[in-house]
Amino acid sequence: MVDLTERKRAEEEIRESERRYSEVQMELVHANRVATMGHLSASIAHEVNQPIGATLNNASAALHWLSKEPADLDKARDALNRIFANGNRVSEVVGRIRALFKKAPLRKEDVDINEAILEVIALTRGEVVKNGISVQSHLGDGLPLIQGDRVQLQQVIMNLIINAVEALSAISGDPRELVITTGKGEPDGVLVVLRDSGPGLSSLGLERIFDAFNTTKPGGLGMGLSICRTIIEAHGGRLWATATQPRGATFQFTLPARSNQAS
Ligand code: ADP
């Protein structure tokens, strides 16, 4: 009896510290998002700008040598060769950056989507309350487990909630509401729906918002939704947006159930 009680307590403690760990991690993810992206873009820009500048100079030199009477073909050829070398350098830099991101393998653990959502709702409560928003959750029963990276999936949910909070903060007068629903997806798996009563997605199209660097916010990066879609697709799911009636935006994503479970 004593053994069992102690084991149970120890297990609870582990769970609690895991939860705290993930809380801290989520906060860091959020706080660091802008800083990391800014830093990363600055170093990519630095690596890529120099060969692009050299390419432009060489292109104008080549045009100059070709426009001479008679054209100086040797000098034009040299300039074109330097363009070639610089082009190769840019594509090497891009290749190295891609390899860097591919290295991190996707973690595969069992994820209860409802639990993951409730944790993110708890983490975002401060922002929600501060902006006078009501968040309702309708979480379905008996949903299958997802296999994947819990922190990455929570990053997606967090991004969608923060986007909704930012959109809702822009309206005045009407109620600011966000409704989060989960249910069974087709043919199996889960469907998560976030419906807000904000201004909706009028100025950028329903698809363009998912492209990187598309933003309508003064300090925005426009990377959030593009990263969200990449994460959901890496988990075998789909993420899309529709308009909410009478107004607002709806974001939905599906995730397949863990493959070896009966659903
Ligand atoms: P960012 O938040 O940095 O702008 P995102 O990729 O997350 O980048 O979003 C891109 C754009 O999509 C936003 O600038 C905004 O115009 C639009 N958007 C995203 N979510 C919502 C929403 N819930 N309601 C209205 N517009 C939204």
Side-chain angles (χ1 to χ4, degrees):
M1 271 305 285
V2 171
D3 265 8
L4 271 182
T5 319
E6 273 179 8
R7 202 163 78 200
K8 222 173 152 197
R9 192 182 318 125
E11 278 170 2
E12 266 166 24
E13 273 171 16
I14 291 173
R15 225 184 131 59
E16 175 59 20
S17 70
E18 271 177 359
R19 200 185 59 78
R20 269 204 309 270
Y21 173 70
S22 106
E23 254 183 44
V24 172
Q25 215 172 9
M26 292 294 298
E27 276 163 13
L28 284 178
V29 163
H30 187 222
N32 278 343
R33 195 175 62 168
V34 173
T36 311
M37 288 308 303
H39 187 77
L40 189 66
S41 331
S43 41
I44 295 173
H46 178 79
E47 289 282 330
V48 164
N49 255 349
Q50 201 270 335
I52 288 179
T55 298
L56 292 175
N57 285 339
N58 282 305
S60 95
L63 287 174
H64 168 75
W65 297 123
L66 287 176
S67 65
K68 286 244 168 219
E69 277 299 341
D72 191 333
L73 292 183
D74 283 344
K75 288 207 167 113
R77 189 176 296 112
D78 285 349
L80 287 171
N81 275 328
R82 286 194 295 273
I83 290 177
F84 192 71
N86 279 304
N88 274 335
R89 220 175 108 198
V90 175
S91 93
E92 257 172 44
V93 170
V94 172
R96 260 188 283 133
I97 292 164
R98 288 183 126 163
L100 191 75
F101 285 109
K102 273 203 192 122
K103 254 184 222 150
L106 201 65
R107 276 178 63 180
K108 287 235 151 97
E109 54 194 330
D110 286 347
V111 182
D112 175 331
I113 197 73
N114 287 345
E115 245 175 50
I117 291 175
L118 287 174
E119 273 184 25
V120 181
I121 291 179
L123 286 172
T124 49
R125 190 160 293 138
E127 283 298 299
V128 163
V129 171
K130 201 169 80 192
N131 290 289
I133 293 164
S134 118
V135 174
Q136 285 176 46
S137 53
H138 303 295
L139 306 181
D141 287 329
L143 299 185
L145 289 172
I146 299 305
Q147 198 173 48
D149 189 314
R150 186 165 56 95
V151 171
Q152 280 197 9
L153 293 174
Q154 287 185 309
Q155 244 176 292
V156 171
I157 299 156
M158 177 122 164
N159 245 306
L160 296 176
I161 293 182
I162 295 291
N163 274 348
V165 167
E166 285 172 349
L168 287 166
S169 309
I171 61 164
S172 53
D174 296 307
R176 301 173 168 183
E177 286 165 349
L178 171 62
V179 182
I180 304 173
T181 314
T182 59
K184 287 212 169 102
E186 294 293 327
D188 56 7
V190 298
L191 171 71
V192 178
V193 184
L194 292 95
R195 191 158 46 84
D196 69 56
S197 63
L201 303 158
S202 49
S203 62
L204 293 169
L206 288 180
E207 267 310 302
R208 276 182 51 217
I209 50 167
F210 291 99
D211 292 342
F213 306 119
N214 261 338
T215 182
T216 52
K217 301 170 193 167
L221 279 169
M223 290 296 292
L225 288 176
S226 146
I227 293 173
C228 288
R229 187 171 255 183
T230 307
I231 292 174
I232 294 298
E233 286 178 357
H235 283 81
R238 227 159 53 78
L239 165 68
W240 71 101
T242 47
T244 307
Q245 292 310 328
R247 69 188 163 76
T250 300
F251 285 85
Q252 317 189 39
F253 64 85
T254 58
L255 288 167
R258 201 180 63 180
S259 49
N260 60 348
Q261 77 185 349
S263 54

